[in-house]
Amino acid sequence: MKFKPAIKPYSAAAGGWGSLEATTRFVLDSRHALKNLRNLMRMNKAKGFDCPGCAWGDDNKSTFSFCENGAKAVTWEATRRFIDAQFFAAHSVSKLYQQSDYFLEYQGRLTEPLRYNARTDHYEPVSWDDAFTLISTHIRQMDNPDQLELYTSGRASNEASYLYQLFGRMVGTNNFPDCSNMCHEASGSGLKRSIGVGKGTIHLNDFEKANAIFVFGQNPGTNHPRMLHSLRHAAENGAQIVTFNTLRERGLERFADPQKPLEVVTPMAGSISTSYYQPNLGGDMAAVRGMAKALLESWRGGQRDVFDEQFLAEHTHGAEAWFAEIDGTSWQHIVRQSGLSEQQLRDAAAIWQQADRVICTWAMGITQHKHSLNTVREIVNLQLLGGHLGKPGAGLCPVRGHSNVQGNRTMGIDEKPSAALLDSLAEHFGFEPPRAAGHNTVQALAAMLRDEVKVLIALGGNLAAAAPDSPRTEEALRRCGLTVHISTKLNRSHLVPGKDALILPTLGRTEADVQATGRQFVTVEDSFSMVHASEGIGNPIASTQRSETAIVAGIADAVLGKEKLDWLALSADYNLIRDHIAATLPGFANFNQQCDIPGGFYLGNAAAELRFATPSGKAEFSAAPLPDSLSGELDAPFVLQTLRSHDQYNTTIYGLDDRYRGVYGQREVLFINPEDLAALGLKDGDLVDIETVWNDGILRKVSGFKIVPYAIPRGNLAAYYPETNPLVPLDSVGDGTGTPTSKSVPVKISLAAQVKSSRIA
Ligand SMILES: Nc1nc2c(c(=O)[nH]1)N[C@H]1C(S)=C(S)[C@@H](COP(=O)(O)OP(=O)(O)OC[C@H]3O[C@@H](n4cnc5c(=O)[nH]c(N)nc54)[C@H](O)[C@@H]3O)O[C@H]1N2
Ligand SMILES: Nc1nc2c(c(=O)[nH]1)N[C@H]1C(S)=C(S)[C@@H](COP(=O)(O)OP(=O)(O)OC[C@H]3O[C@@H](n4cnc5c(=O)[nH]c(N)nc54)[C@H](O)[C@@H]3O)O[C@H]1N2
Ligand SMILES: [Mo]
């Protein structure tokens, strides 16, 4: 066999030629080059569709507002490959189940509604009417409304999401598990408790005005490439960019802007991070506490201008209790937990102190741990000390995942809805919505395993592959009476059908959506609370596909009839849905007129205006103790984070490379510190098994992962999701968030069984 070096160091800057080349390749590969290029050019412009890639904002200034990974997302959706009844007649579900996730998605777009036939183990075509009737029959047979689970993935438009939550509440449940439960739940809940609103407080242009930007636990080079532009410009303006990331991420070190030809041509690449700290997995709360401890010391030592004392007095509550907690936390504890030295944290604190305007951003490296909620609140604490809220160039910025995940929540996709939302729906629509909290994602799966769920409807996403503890999650889905997936492409979730199952093929964001009253647009909300219109332009690949909004309306009409609401009239004219949104949700007055504003309109954020919907009416400091230990009672030699490669969108695998980390042609790799490798007597390229250390006697193990030495602190490991989801225990969730602890899985590793035997031989 020819030896192919799998791991090559990536020496160029992130972005740049590599990025252009990869974009071109994806555009051309997708069998519809011209249309794809045209699509790209309209992405994120005032007219056209919103990039389905990520939730970063857009300034509508540059002519080519796309990035390599946005391009992949669009071309992947706009492919002309498709699968139809013939495909499903040829392949049984058990056969398809044996294929990789990459293979499944690669087959192309779903074109017609399908129903699972358990007798033959094949999906077969079904009419839309029969599909809706089947759903209605199953729902009517439920003993109570909470036997229904309504999952949402964050691409669904505001209009589809609004109808969906209304439908669920009219049936009588708040069971709205969603991808956000596995994602930024800690940000929403933490911010809400601290500042009264669960969203970021800054505008996109605040990046230009900041003196220091702290980037915690995120990999923008891959997951929010357009953020690199903002960071780069900030760096050019002299801002300090301080990164806290367990791994050395190329995209956070250097970046060449692929949209500026000169930068691509010269090897000159701007550096991004001015300081780079590599804490232990889960060590960020300790790191921020260390910074605060250093600052408190300076302040008590008589240094002026450490804190914004006027801000503290006027706008905050509870600083003293937090200071007492800081005093009670030793440097030893901080250093052990964070993995950073006292001096490193003092240096980071000094950068913070010297800056008049500080932004903190974060993503999954902060939110997918056991104590994530308190970590988010510790970051808020730090910002409050300096009054870095409600002024230009400063604030809090959780960088969202899916392109409309923030909008979904705004529309009421929330298993713990506020009384205000329910009151408003009750009054406007004249019904009594359920008041008890519903299930989040992990609770929904647990209910399925207890046989309490009769019907699961999934508005997008790939629950089977995205949720933790894969064998248990798959078992959970199989136990449902009926599973309904509203999807663009074939995925793992379709192959673990409930006793009865439907796949409903939907239009994507890039496609023209024509209803009875003509062409429709939808709206979405980005990470900066900007709401804007999105209008698809491509022709749908099949006339049998329907828009998400039309599908939700069709289901609601079949189940609830027209008595309370004429659902079909709403899906014939989305303006009518927006009128209902305007009448029931704050910030959406004159919604339809507002949609004409190029670039969208700002929903507003009370905390950014220093109005705090908290019990004290002020921003609340959190005085949570630093956890004693991150591993609890468990005695595991390693902690594993599960993360994304450069060539994937969550469970959608575009390719097998992870260019910036130097990995090519494979995904089953395990990043490890070279000293750990030596201590274990293993070597680069060895294959290992990874096993979870947990307390319920269940074996959770994945096999044959190739060892890759990497710049990561000792005791910490990294491997790709979703391949490692079988390792994340379903009941290992964040305190107060219910989010699976995907970034801190206690594990041990051993040489893979087959390697062991060959070495002995
Ligand atoms: N191309 C592309 N874009 C995407 C996605 C995609 O899959 N592909 N997914 C979208 C979604 S839904 C989301 S939520 C976002 C995800 O965006 P990210 O949060 O960037 O996603 P991850 O790949 O999970 O990366 C986690 C990063 O945090 C670091 N990290 C992990 N644990 C810790 C820790 O404890 N402390 C610190 N300081 N760092 C840590 C990791 O080393 C890694 O750099 O991206 C969105 N955009
Ligand atoms: N171990 C581990 N697990 C994780 C994570 C992790 O870091 N580690 N990250 C978590 C995070 S942050 C998230 S957000 C979740 C993601 O969870 P999900 O949102 O459930 O998963 P996706 O992979 O984004 O969903 C992809 C599927 O959505 C469908 N789809 C694509 N576009 C559209 C559309 O426009 N409309 C409709 N109706 N369907 C569409 C396609 O069929 C595709 O197969 O995974 C979580 N799981
Ligand atoms: Mo996410």
Side-chain angles (χ1 to χ4, degrees):
M1 203 175 71
K2 211 173 123 203
F3 175 73
K4 177 169 171 258
I7 314 295
K8 294 186 264 175
Y10 190 76
S11 53
W17 276 123
S19 202
L20 268 188
E21 190 262 339
T23 305
T24 324
R25 190 156 45 80
F26 273 96
V27 168
L28 298 178
D29 268 5
S30 69
R31 289 196 170 187
H32 213 64
L34 266 181
K35 178 185 157 202
N36 285 328
L37 280 171
R38 196 175 53 133
N39 275 354
L40 288 180
M41 295 178 65
R42 299 236 187 146
M43 242 200 297
N44 294 334
K45 307 308 295 174
K47 282 219 161 60
F49 59 85
D50 183 65
C51 179
C54 76
W56 193 250
D58 198 79
D59 59 8
N60 283 299
K61 279 186 209 147
S62 50
T63 43
F64 247 60
S65 290
F66 74 91
C67 70
E68 174 195 350
N69 278 349
K72 286 183 205 163
V74 167
T75 53
W76 204 249
E77 175 177 303
T79 176
R80 300 316 275 180
R81 297 177 69 99
F82 65 91
I83 44 181
D84 54 15
Q86 241 179 331
F87 173 90
F88 288 98
H91 304 284
S92 71
V93 167
S94 350
K95 277 271 150 38
L96 289 171
Y97 181 82
Q98 288 162 13
Q99 302 296 327
S100 68
D101 294 321
Y102 178 72
F103 172 91
L104 297 177
E105 293 251 359
Y106 192 72
Q107 301 313 306
R109 293 290 296 273
L110 294 158
T111 49
E112 52 194 325
L114 300 160
R115 180 179 180 186
Y116 180 60
N117 182 337
R119 208 174 33 79
T120 61
D121 190 35
H122 283 262
Y123 274 104
E124 295 166 354
V126 62
S127 73
W128 278 102
D129 282 348
D130 287 351
F132 291 149
T133 306
L134 183 72
I135 297 172
S136 154
T137 307
H138 275 271
I139 289 183
R140 282 159 197 245
Q141 281 168 359
M142 299 185 321
D143 307 317
N144 73 70
D146 289 326
Q147 291 178 337
L148 171 66
E149 300 283 351
L150 297 167
Y151 179 72
T152 312
S153 167
R155 278 197 195 179
S157 66
N158 287 338
E159 289 72 10
S161 307
Y162 185 82
L163 282 194
Y164 194 57
Q165 62 84 31
L166 189 60
F167 160 68
R169 296 197 163 107
M170 284 191 175
V171 171
T173 186
N174 282 317
N175 284 346
F176 292 105
D178 70 346
C179 68
S180 188
N181 296 143
M182 301 185 270
C183 182
H184 264 292
E185 192 67 52
S187 307
S189 304
L191 288 172
K192 200 157 206 158
R193 290 188 206 187
S194 290
I195 59 171
V197 39
K199 299 184 184 184
T201 65
I202 63 169
H203 298 278
L204 186 55
N205 63 14
D206 281 316
F207 281 89
E208 294 164 14
K209 301 169 194 154
N211 307 122
I213 300 166
F214 285 73
V215 180
F216 289 97
Q218 85 174 106
N219 182 22
T222 288
N223 298 315
H224 306 92
R226 285 179 293 132
M227 179 177 174
L228 291 189
H229 297 256
S230 304
L231 290 178
R232 177 67 199 284
H233 294 150
E236 280 169 359
N237 290 344
Q240 298 285 310
I241 308 231
V242 184
T243 292
F244 284 81
N245 196 305
T246 307
L247 291 179
R248 276 267 159 194
E249 299 285 24
R250 166 63 47 179
L252 284 162
E253 294 180 306
R254 288 195 298 146
F255 173 63
D257 187 340
Q259 300 191 19
K260 280 190 191 154
L262 259 181
E263 283 199 10
V264 181
V265 176
T266 59
M268 285 276 299
S271 58
I272 298 258
S273 300
T274 43
S275 309
Y276 204 115
Y277 300 106
Q278 289 183 265
N280 282 328
L281 291 170
D284 300 83
M285 181 174 173
V288 175
R289 179 142 308 177
M291 289 171 63
K293 196 170 175 73
L295 293 166
L296 192 57
E297 197 182 282
S298 309
W299 185 59
R300 289 196 181 129
Q303 267 189 46
R304 292 295 90 199
D305 300 335
V306 183
F307 300 158
D308 183 335
E309 292 176 34
Q310 196 186 344
F311 182 92
L312 286 180
E314 277 177 31
H315 300 296
T316 71
H317 170 256
E320 287 305 325
W322 184 47
F323 293 164
E325 208 42 65
I326 296 174
D327 291 336
T329 316
S330 69
W331 272 112
Q332 199 193 13
H333 188 181
I334 289 168
V335 168
R336 177 170 39 86
Q337 192 161 110
S338 68
L340 300 172
S341 69
E342 185 177 328
Q343 190 56 50
Q344 285 178 304
L345 294 173
R346 287 186 183 280
D347 292 345
I351 298 170
W352 183 94
Q353 191 183 330
Q354 278 152 21
D356 288 334
R357 296 179 295 279
V358 180
I359 291 174
C360 285
T361 79
W362 67 90
M364 296 303 101
I366 293 299
T367 61
Q368 294 179 331
H369 293 288
K370 186 151 195 314
H371 59 302
S372 290
L373 193 144
N374 286 338
T375 307
V376 167
R377 297 199 63 188
E378 195 81 4
I379 293 173
V380 180
N381 283 356
L382 179 71
Q383 289 292 79
L384 293 178
L385 280 184
H388 295 303
L389 198 63
K391 66 180 181 188
L396 297 155
C397 179
V399 183
R400 300 280 165 179
H402 269 299
S403 52
N404 197 38
V405 65
Q406 186 158 317
N408 294 169
R409 273 286 156 95
T410 305
M411 291 300 121
I413 303 291
D414 190 345
E415 78 282 4
K416 348 170 252 322
S418 67
L421 170 74
L422 298 179
D423 291 344
S424 172
L425 295 177
E427 192 187 329
H428 182 74
F429 292 104
F431 78 111
E432 191 38 53
R435 297 279 164 171
H439 292 149
N440 64 22
T441 297
V442 167
Q443 290 163 340
L445 291 166
M448 292 174 203
L449 286 170
R450 293 192 303 267
D451 288 324
E452 289 169 12
V453 176
K454 297 282 190 272
V455 180
L456 163 72
I457 303 180
L459 181 55
N462 184 2
L463 185 55
D469 228 345
S470 316
R472 264 149 296 282
T473 287
E474 293 182 4
E475 168 71 14
L477 294 184
R478 289 184 199 276
R479 281 174 179 265
C480 295
L482 170 72
T483 50
V484 182
H485 292 283
I486 301 168
S487 310
T488 51
K489 298 260 190 90
L490 182 63
N491 67 39
R492 181 78 36 209
S493 303
H494 306 139
L495 308 178
V496 285
K499 294 180 188 78
D500 216 335
L502 290 167
I503 304 176
L504 303 179
T506 189
L507 297 178
R509 181 124 6 119
T510 58
E511 284 137 1
D513 177 356
V514 181
Q515 301 295 339
T517 63
R519 195 135 163 182
Q520 308 294 316
F521 66 89
V522 294
T523 58
V524 294
E525 176 183 341
D526 67 23
S527 277
F528 304 97
S529 303
M530 295 295 297
V531 176
H532 52 94
S534 172
E535 188 176 347
I537 50 175
N539 284 329
I541 196 166
S543 59
T544 39
Q545 293 170 324
R546 289 198 183 172
S547 78
E548 290 179 337
T549 312
I551 296 172
V552 173
I555 295 174
D557 178 67
V559 176
L560 297 169
K562 292 187 176 42
E563 196 188 318
K564 289 202 181 77
L565 206 55
D566 187 345
W567 302 91
L568 300 182
L570 296 180
S571 69
D573 180 359
Y574 299 179
N575 284 332
L576 301 178
I577 304 177
R578 284 184 285 270
D579 286 340
H580 285 300
I581 295 174
T584 47
L585 299 182
F588 286 91
N590 301 320
F591 192 7
N592 275 310
Q593 291 86 315
Q594 297 263 76
C595 289
D596 291 337
I597 303 173
F601 65 97
Y602 178 52
L603 266 187
N605 180 310
E609 293 163 16
L610 304 178
R611 288 180 288 113
F612 300 103
T614 57
S616 64
K618 296 185 171 192
E620 305 257 7
F621 276 96
S622 152
L626 194 63
D628 283 338
S629 131
L630 296 180
S631 53
E633 307 290 286
L634 301 162
D635 190 18
F638 291 100
V639 183
L640 169 78
Q641 66 154 318
T642 61
L643 80 178
R644 293 157 175 78
S645 84
H646 195 65
D647 276 1
Q648 76 181 83
Y649 195 93
N650 298 337
T651 67
T652 301
I653 312 301
Y654 303 122
L656 301 177
D657 297 347
D658 192 8
R659 197 168 78 239
Y660 297 157
R661 299 195 187 107
V663 175
Y664 295 91
Q666 57 192 327
R667 288 182 49 86
E668 296 193 343
V669 297
L670 179 66
F671 298 101
I672 187 171
N673 179 292
E675 288 175 37
D676 279 333
L677 192 58
L680 288 167
L682 296 171
K683 56 182 186 359
D684 187 352
D686 270 349
L687 298 184
V688 294
D689 295 345
I690 316 172
E691 188 180 327
T692 307
V693 179
W694 200 239
N695 53 18
D696 57 6
I698 295 175
L699 177 69
R700 295 183 178 84
K701 187 171 174 174
V702 295
S703 300
F705 277 59
K706 189 180 272 184
I707 288 277
V708 176
Y710 205 82
I712 182 171
R714 289 198 70 174
N716 296 265
L717 302 171
Y720 303 132
Y721 129 82
E723 286 81 350
T724 46
N725 282 37
L727 297 173
V728 188
L730 195 54
D731 60 352
S732 174
V733 297
D735 297 331
T737 65
T739 301
T741 56
S742 309
K743 295 290 189 278
S744 47
V745 190
V747 296
K748 55 187 182 187
I749 56 179
S750 55
L751 207 55
Q754 74 260 39
V755 182
K756 240 186 258 166
S757 60
S758 76
R759 279 206 190 159
I760 293 164

